[in-house]
Amino acid sequence: MSAPNLTPFRPEIAGTQPDYAANIYGSTALRAPRHAPVRIAQSITETTGPQFRQDRYPGNPDISKVPTGEAQGQRIVVEGHVRDEDGKPVPHTMIELWQANSCGRYHHEGDQHDAPLDQHFQGSGRVFTNAEGKYRYTTIKPGAYPWRNHHNAWRPNHIHYSLFGPGFATRLITQMYFEGDPLLKYDPIYNCIPDEAARTRLVASFELGLTEPEWALGYRFDIILRGRSATPFENDQTPAHAHAHAHDHGNH
Amino acid sequence: MPIATSSQTIGPYWHLLHDKAWSDLTRFGATGDIIHITGTITDGGGNLITDACVEIWQASPPVSETFEGFGRAATNAEGRYTFKTLRPTPLPGPNGPAGNSQQAPHIALTILARGLTKALTTRIYFHGDPGHETDPVLSLIEPQTRRATLIARETKPSVWTLDIQLQGANETVFLEI
Ligand SMILES: [Fe+2]
């Protein structure tokens, strides 16, 4: 094996990630820390991370059916490219997916929404990117569902994503939304992201070219993971800066 | 230049991914200094968090055929996470093997949950380790009394306990990486 790449990952760009505390999203009230996180210089613990072998973590790229039958709902294929902030593909990386069924109900004991379960839909999948960083899977379009954040709150149609990338610092949990969904403008989770362009990048676009005749509608959802910094040890300077940062924001 | 995709909460239904086996990092046959790590997670109201996804990653001992260094656990009805793994050894500091700093043995820990818009990251250190005084991450934490929130204690032989508070008087120190 070659020596691990220990170059740190770049810091986040202001406004493109949600804050922990968000008044519009009620569940953050008791869960968001009051202290700002302490910024550290990345070491081998952050610059390397778990890698998943496909023989131990087999892919399951078609969740639109189970052995006993096909799920109800609008069949879709989702394709995308996983790259880093330098535009380089992230090959052979694991993506985990989970979602509600076409009626907006999760196959989960905690979900008591009064919508039918589908015995042919389990709602979770796993795919790996190929050598070019591309992934593709088949599913059914998830339904919208109500939640209790505020009166008449409904989550827009979405598919949950989990990615690891090359290092512990590239871990990403996100949600993919659908172009044209009227619920997006009312959704506190989507709107926790301050930057409008960053929000919009979570919306998959319908693409006729990905659509399979007589079979499934096609959507594109590209993902960008943190890139490594151009100068290997530029965050050597962080200790002094970290103190100031923690104190400045200590009571927000 | 492309910009990193935004985080969104993992929500309450992430258990559709959950596999209990993943909390045992020795499941591919790893042998060595086996330890258990456990603790509760509470919110700012003192409520136990029973729907969290907790992940650990350790660069020591190094990844091998029998040890992947990664685990995932769900907090249970008592708000408790538990992992079985190998005890880590000291690691090179942020300047890499060429640098002159060394880190005390530690495991990185991530909490993902409903109400967390993005991952919360912290570290688990081991009480009594002589390297804590000079550890480059612990040394950054002020006031010094807060460093204890990252230090697990051996509550039974080979069982290390670290309780985590997301918010409040004894709030755990979280790290921006
Ligand atoms: Fe959801």
Side-chain angles (χ1 to χ4, degrees):
Chain A
M1 244 176 75
S2 55
N5 186 344
L6 300 176
T7 309
F9 293 94
R10 297 206 276 272
E12 71 185 46
I13 293 172
T16 65
Q17 297 291 340
D19 289 330
Y20 289 112
N23 289 335
I24 53 174
Y25 178 18
S27 296
T28 66
L30 290 174
R31 293 187 169 194
R34 294 284 188 242
H35 292 265
V38 173
R39 187 171 173 202
I40 66 167
Q42 295 170 31
S43 71
I44 187 170
T45 300
E46 292 78 30
T47 58
T48 66
Q51 302 302 315
F52 298 88
R53 293 168 36 170
Q54 296 188 44
D55 58 332
R56 288 180 178 171
Y57 301 89
N60 168 27
D62 185 353
I63 58 177
S64 72
K65 60 184 182 350
V66 293
T68 52
E70 300 205 47
Q72 299 286 330
Q74 174 70 63
R75 192 183 296 114
I76 61 172
V77 294
V78 182
E79 189 175 303
H81 205 171
V82 182
R83 288 170 295 165
D84 68 16
E85 289 174 294
D86 294 310
K88 284 189 302 208
V90 182
H92 311 300
T93 199
M94 185 169 82
I95 305 175
E96 299 170 293
L97 309 154
W98 71 105
Q99 64 170 85
N101 70 21
S102 63
C103 300
R105 175 102 182 250
Y106 284 87
H107 185 77
H108 185 290
E109 62 181 12
D111 186 356
Q112 296 300 314
H113 172 37
D114 181 17
L117 283 166
D118 180 347
Q119 61 170 322
H120 298 135
F121 190 71
Q122 296 297 312
S124 68
R126 179 190 293 148
V127 291
F128 285 80
T129 58
N130 66 13
E132 286 82 49
K134 292 186 173 159
Y135 74 92
R136 179 187 172 88
Y137 62 93
T138 304
T139 184
I140 51 90
K141 188 174 180 180
Y145 59 86
W147 61 313
R148 297 198 173 122
N149 186 71
H150 56 272
H151 174 66
N152 206 12
W154 290 78
R155 291 299 329 280
N157 306 36
H158 62 277
I159 299 177
H160 294 267
Y161 274 66
S162 154
L163 291 94
F164 290 84
F168 179 68
T170 54
R171 184 87 174 95
L172 174 69
I173 302 284
T174 191
Q175 299 181 27
M176 177 194 108
Y177 300 97
F178 290 83
E179 183 180 346
D181 191 330
L183 291 169
L184 283 170
K185 81 173 147 186
Y186 305 108
D187 183 45
I189 292 177
Y190 177 71
N191 288 294
C192 278
I193 302 162
D195 182 68
E196 187 184 358
R199 286 199 295 275
T200 305
R201 288 193 290 271
L202 296 184
V203 181
S205 50
F206 169 74
E207 204 168 297
L208 193 62
L210 291 177
T211 294
E212 297 199 12
E214 321 295 326
W215 175 251
L217 295 178
Y219 286 86
R220 175 168 303 284
F221 185 56
D222 293 332
I223 295 166
I224 305 294
L225 300 178
R226 288 170 76 179
R228 300 203 190 249
S229 56
T231 48
F233 302 128
E234 75 178 16
N235 71 355
D236 282 1
Q237 305 307 316
T238 45
H241 170 188
H243 288 278
H245 186 77
H247 290 163
D248 289 352
H249 302 283
N251 57 358
H252 82 166
Chain B
M1 293 278 260
I3 295 171
T5 301
S6 305
S7 172
Q8 295 274 268
T9 182
I10 201 168
Y13 304 127
W14 71 270
H15 302 88
L16 292 182
L17 301 180
H18 181 48
D19 181 343
K20 279 185 178 158
W22 289 28
S23 66
D24 179 358
L25 285 74
T26 68
R27 70 190 185 282
F28 299 109
T31 54
D33 191 355
I34 292 179
I35 57 171
H36 291 82
I37 297 176
T38 188
T40 56
I41 304 182
T42 48
D43 71 13
N47 310 295
L48 292 161
I49 294 186
T50 58
D51 59 3
C53 171
V54 183
E55 295 180 345
I56 60 171
W57 157 250
Q58 54 191 96
S60 161
V63 168
S64 68
E65 185 70 22
T66 58
F67 187 68
E68 296 183 334
F70 174 80
R72 176 187 284 159
T75 53
N76 65 15
E78 285 78 49
R80 178 171 295 280
Y81 68 90
T82 304
F83 292 98
K84 180 181 181 184
T85 188
L86 298 181
R87 186 169 177 168
T89 53
L91 283 155
N95 292 337
N100 57 9
S101 66
Q102 181 170 268
Q103 302 185 85
H106 64 273
I107 295 174
L109 181 142
T110 290
I111 302 168
L112 298 151
R114 172 179 67 83
L116 293 180
T117 58
K118 51 188 174 183
L120 278 175
T121 296
T122 187
R123 283 183 172 190
I124 302 168
Y125 286 87
F126 298 86
H127 181 72
D129 191 280
H132 290 176
E133 287 299 311
T134 53
D135 180 82
V137 169
L138 288 177
S139 306
L140 283 176
I141 299 170
E142 300 287 354
Q144 217 170 322
T145 49
R146 296 194 73 211
R147 295 178 190 173
T149 65
L150 273 59
I151 300 175
R153 291 184 173 262
E154 193 170 20
T155 46
K156 279 190 271 185
S158 299
V159 177
W160 292 81
T161 297
L162 183 68
D163 292 337
I164 295 171
Q165 284 192 21
L166 300 191
Q167 188 192 89
N170 196 29
E171 184 174 306
T172 295
V173 171
F174 296 102
L175 305 174
E176 181 184 335
I177 60 174

